[in-house]
Amino acid sequence: MRILVPVKRVIDYNVKARVKADGSGVDLANVKMSMNPFDEIAVEEAIRLKEKGVAEEVIAVSIGVKQAAETLRTALAMGADRAILVTATDDVQQDIEPLAVAKILAAVAKAEGTELVIAGKQAIDNDMNATGQMLAALLGWAQATFASKLEIDGGKAKVTREVDGGLQTIAVALPAVVTADLRLNEPRYASLPNIMKAKKKPLEEKTAADYGVDVAPRLEVVSVREPEGRKAGIKVGSVDELVGKLKEAGVI
Amino acid sequence: MFDQRTDEYQDIRDAVRALCAEFPDEYHRKIDEARAYPAEFVDALTRAGWMAALIPEAYGGSGLGLTEASVIMEEINRSGGNSGACHGQMYVINTLIKHGSEAQKQHYLPRIATGEWRLQSMAVTEPTTGSDTTKIKTVAVKKGDRWVINGQKVWISRVLHSDLIIVLARTTPVEQCRKPSEGMSIFIVDAKAAQANGQLVVKPIPNMVNHETNELFFDNLEVPEENLIGTEGQGFKHLLSGLNAERVLIAAECIGDGYWFTDRVVKYVNERVVFGRPIGQNQGVQFPIAEAFIEVEAANLMRFKAAALYDADQPCGAEANMAKYLAAKSSWEAANACIQFHGGFGFANEYDVERKFRETRLYQVAPISTNMILGYVGQHVLGMPKSY
């Protein structure tokens, strides 16, 4: 089995995001970028399936600016076998929308003959949580989202999903799209020999046009702003005073 | 912001940081309090290949340069750890890589790369000679197919956590040599076996930082002739390239410390409110921190310059010494600012500032004292008379 793992280059989760002065988005110029943490979990899961002998090959793919090659090298250093970089824009500020990404991924999945796509459930930059679902729809494949456990058995994937109020276990027929939740696994860190090997692994360069996908934005970002700062609190001396203040504020 | 900067070594930095993150402040604090060796930490670094960075690929390492090795050391110190536990292998091994015979390299390097053996100790300094290395009294005399070593060494670190050590001994009396720097040779010694048979006695020296450092006594220590590294009589010269590597690595560790101190103190002074405002709002607090940061940045540039020269096989004695001087000075400035503005908390063990403060202070004394660097620059770079 060949597994395709889409990885997105996003603002590093340690970085304090700053909104651009004109409110058009988050400033990404000269900011540390890393692999979307949910995608790291997806890469880890794919590598584990390969280590168990369930999969023969793990292919990482990234769609966006050419700098996403660095993100793909990270996936290769973790253990992916090869990578495909699909350049879709030169502008580091441009986010490729989920539908365009899903269309390109569908084309890549068909071209590569993959039977399983493991993706992060969402990217931490825009939290869309849409690409995996759209991809499954476009391919006409089964989907299992928010996976916290994944087992492949014959032509089926048994997936435990984190749903409101508990865990749901479903079986889906392959080919399928699985999206990874936080507790699926704990991704490994790359060792030095694997970082060195990753530099020599194949990285194929493509463009969105190669797959005939128009990536022009369909959505308009109206405004982006910082969350409001937390206001100072007050100390109250008694329960009665607390109740009084809450009534005053009109919350009870 | 500066902590969002990336450079061409980001893959190395990210991977080392991820590993170090599994060993939080508390781990290093407990190891320090117990004066213990961070074996799990060093093992994890070894397993992930970081301790074999400089070993050529043909011998099981990654064949990287000193620049990359220095980035690894910097990240360890920047994460709150102390490279002192493991940096020895990085520079000691270069002596073997550069001057060892093919047979020696085949024998030792692959086993060092896997972590089966550790070579992280270099026995040069002696009690009566200090920095005047050519006056060493340890001698090695050839008897049949063996060398027999007698003498004493001091401040030799990590011996108890090394399988192999490198020893410098005089093999030709100084009066028979053309120059005092000739007539010395280096040997690779099986430290475990030598301790077991009593030919090597190791006496630990309790000290201010958690560096396992020792006095060594050689009592008719027998070493097979094939353990001589490089050319007989040229040992001091062979060591010098290793010493330049050591200076660059120590500079990088100081830079890691410097950023650790500025990170911590900036965070603290932004949060700590006294007299109704964060103390970082006071210029008296802000300026020393800014000054220290500027000095760390400048030292960083000199580190990369020295490392690049070393990797290009160019002479780098001046740059390596100057990088170490600048870095040790800047990390000390940063340490002072950090402990000062933490007030009493800076002295509390749980803030880790006092531990890092002690650790970084060492680097103005070891592995070469600041005065020796100034003397080197005065004489060899600027052409003033020899002062010592």
Side-chain angles (χ1 to χ4, degrees):
Chain A
M1 184 165 66
R2 195 172 276 170
I3 305 177
L4 185 68
V5 186
V7 296
K8 186 175 183 183
R9 181 176 188 266
V10 298
I11 189 165
D12 187 89
Y13 72 97
N14 282 313
V15 168
K16 191 177 177 301
R18 280 180 304 172
V19 172
K20 289 203 285 186
D22 63 1
S24 62
V26 170
D27 192 356
L28 296 179
N30 302 315
V31 169
K32 182 170 191 265
M33 305 292 280
S34 303
M35 190 191 299
N36 175 36
F38 290 109
D39 299 347
E40 271 186 51
I41 296 169
V43 173
E44 176 67 34
E45 196 64 18
I47 297 165
R48 288 186 189 185
L49 287 174
K50 191 187 165 188
E51 286 168 351
K52 278 186 208 154
V54 175
E56 286 85 50
E57 193 181 29
V58 176
I59 308 166
V61 57
S62 193
I63 298 160
V65 288
K66 63 177 189 308
Q67 291 89 329
E70 293 161 16
T71 316
L72 288 168
R73 289 287 170 209
T74 305
L76 294 171
M78 287 175 72
D81 297 291
R82 61 189 171 94
I84 302 168
L85 170 66
V86 184
T87 306
T89 176
D90 298 328
D91 178 5
V92 293
Q93 292 292 148
Q94 192 192 341
D95 192 36
I96 309 300
E97 290 173 3
L99 184 57
V101 172
K103 283 179 180 170
I104 294 171
L105 289 177
V108 174
K110 277 185 206 156
E112 299 295 338
T114 47
E115 264 185 278
L116 179 63
V117 175
I118 307 180
K121 69 166 180 175
Q122 66 196 64
I124 62 163
D125 51 1
N126 57 25
D127 283 338
M128 292 268 200
N129 180 9
T131 305
Q133 294 88 332
M134 287 178 172
L135 174 63
L138 289 171
L139 288 167
W141 292 4
Q143 60 173 291
T145 51
F146 314 121
S148 64
K149 198 176 173 197
L150 168 63
E151 285 170 282
I152 304 293
D153 189 11
K156 284 198 166 135
K158 200 168 118 190
V159 179
T160 303
R161 308 179 61 234
E162 297 203 352
V163 293
D164 285 348
L167 299 173
Q168 178 193 50
T169 302
I170 59 170
V172 294
L174 295 177
V177 176
V178 174
T179 71
D181 212 328
L182 193 63
R183 280 161 287 272
L184 181 59
N185 60 50
E186 215 166 287
R188 70 195 65 192
Y189 45 76
S191 70
L192 179 56
N194 288 337
I195 290 174
M196 301 304 289
K197 274 184 217 153
K199 293 181 200 289
K200 292 173 193 155
K201 287 181 179 175
L203 192 153
E204 195 182 344
E205 293 188 34
K206 298 275 199 181
T207 65
D210 293 339
Y211 298 100
V213 176
D214 172 14
V215 298
R218 267 70 166 178
L219 307 173
E220 186 195 346
V221 174
V222 180
S223 80
V224 176
R225 56 188 172 85
E226 305 258 0
E228 277 184 30
R230 204 175 146 194
K231 294 200 181 81
I234 54 161
K235 277 186 184 167
V236 291
S238 67
V239 174
D240 287 346
E241 196 188 337
L242 172 65
V243 172
K245 290 281 179 195
L246 288 173
K247 279 186 178 157
E248 220 172 273
V251 292
I252 56 169
Chain B
M1 296 293 282
F2 95 97
D3 61 350
Q4 297 180 11
R5 292 182 303 188
T6 57
D7 64 12
E8 60 190 293
Y9 308 105
Q10 203 55 43
D11 47 356
I12 292 177
R13 292 185 190 279
D14 285 345
V16 177
R17 275 179 209 176
L19 186 154
C20 290
E22 301 200 340
F23 296 88
D25 291 346
E26 195 188 9
Y27 171 82
H28 297 291
R29 193 184 315 140
K30 282 188 173 154
I31 291 281
D32 180 69
E33 280 167 8
R35 286 294 189 265
Y37 188 76
E40 304 84 4
F41 180 56
V42 178
D43 285 347
L45 288 166
T46 307
R47 273 197 308 277
W50 299 108
M51 293 294 100
L54 290 169
I55 298 178
E57 283 181 286
Y59 304 100
S62 290
L64 292 175
L66 187 65
T67 309
E68 289 88 351
S70 78
V71 170
I72 298 168
M73 298 290 112
E74 176 193 340
E75 288 298 333
I76 291 172
N77 277 41
R78 191 175 180 169
S79 77
N82 176 10
S83 299
C86 58
H87 60 196
Q89 181 144 310
M90 286 287 196
Y91 55 78
V92 176
I93 215 159
N94 252 10
T95 309
L96 189 56
I97 293 167
K98 289 207 170 184
H99 306 288
S101 67
E102 187 53 36
Q104 285 170 337
K105 289 197 270 193
Q106 295 277 4
H107 182 61
Y108 294 110
L109 292 178
R111 291 179 174 92
I112 294 169
T114 60
E116 184 187 338
W117 290 345
R118 284 195 207 291
L119 166 63
Q120 49 183 6
S121 199
M122 188 152 72
V124 177
T125 306
E126 299 190 359
T128 53
T129 53
S131 299
D132 192 359
T133 306
T134 62
K135 301 280 194 333
I136 59 165
K137 295 195 174 72
T138 297
V139 291
V141 178
K142 189 84 182 278
K143 285 189 180 154
D145 61 353
R146 339 215 93 209
W147 289 92
V148 179
I149 303 176
N150 279 289
Q152 189 179 343
K153 300 279 177 185
V154 73
W155 307 122
I156 312 305
S157 298
R158 298 167 296 271
V159 179
L160 296 174
H161 295 93
S162 297
D163 299 283
L164 303 159
I165 64 174
I166 285 180
V167 176
L168 179 75
R170 191 159 272 292
T171 43
T172 307
V174 68
E175 52 279 6
Q176 292 171 30
C177 297
R178 215 158 36 91
K179 289 193 285 185
S181 58
E182 292 184 350
M184 291 177 278
S185 305
I186 46 176
F187 302 89
I188 189 161
V189 172
D190 181 340
K192 293 263 155 78
Q195 283 177 84
N197 65 23
Q199 294 175 357
L200 168 64
V201 174
V202 180
K203 269 181 67 181
I205 306 171
N207 64 92
M208 179 171 120
V209 287
N210 183 26
H211 279 233
E212 177 237 299
T213 195
N214 308 282
E215 281 183 283
L216 306 187
F217 302 91
F218 306 112
D219 181 12
N220 288 317
L221 169 64
E222 291 189 16
V223 179
E225 62 181 347
E226 63 266 24
N227 285 28
L228 180 121
I229 297 175
T231 311
E232 187 191 326
Q234 297 297 315
F236 186 65
K237 221 171 113 192
H238 295 337
L239 278 186
L240 282 181
S241 64
L243 296 180
N244 283 332
E246 182 184 34
R247 309 234 196 297
V248 175
L249 293 175
I250 298 291
E253 290 171 33
C254 290
I255 288 158
D257 282 342
Y259 288 136
W260 186 92
F261 286 119
T262 53
D263 281 351
R264 291 287 168 121
V265 73
V266 166
K267 187 166 177 290
Y268 186 78
V269 302
N270 279 336
E271 287 169 359
R272 173 74 170 161
V273 175
V274 182
F275 299 117
R277 57 184 194 169
I279 60 172
Q281 202 173 336
N282 301 306
Q283 291 183 341
V285 170
Q286 217 173 79
F287 287 7
I289 299 170
E291 272 185 317
F293 178 75
I294 292 167
E295 288 182 22
V296 176
E297 285 283 287
N300 200 10
L301 294 177
M302 187 60 90
R303 176 275 291 258
F304 278 116
K305 182 175 181 185
L309 287 169
Y310 186 94
D311 286 334
D313 274 328
Q314 299 291 314
C316 65
E319 289 79 4
N321 274 299
M322 292 192 286
K324 194 272 186 181
Y325 170 90
L326 289 169
K329 191 161 168 277
S330 69
S331 72
W332 176 236
E333 294 292 335
N336 263 319
C338 190
I339 204 163
Q340 185 70 24
F341 300 128
H342 273 80
F345 294 106
F347 291 79
N349 294 10
E350 75 171 282
Y351 278 72
D352 299 291
V353 176
E354 60 83 33
R355 171 173 61 83
K356 296 286 281 180
F357 180 91
R358 284 183 279 118
E359 287 168 0
T360 215
R361 181 62 182 83
L362 172 67
Y363 295 130
Q364 293 190 53
V365 175
I368 177 173
S369 85
T370 300
N371 275 7
M372 295 294 289
I373 295 178
L374 294 173
Y376 177 91
V377 172
Q379 183 192 343
H380 296 286
V381 180
L382 298 174
M384 290 186 275
K386 183 172 165 62
S387 63
Y388 52 82

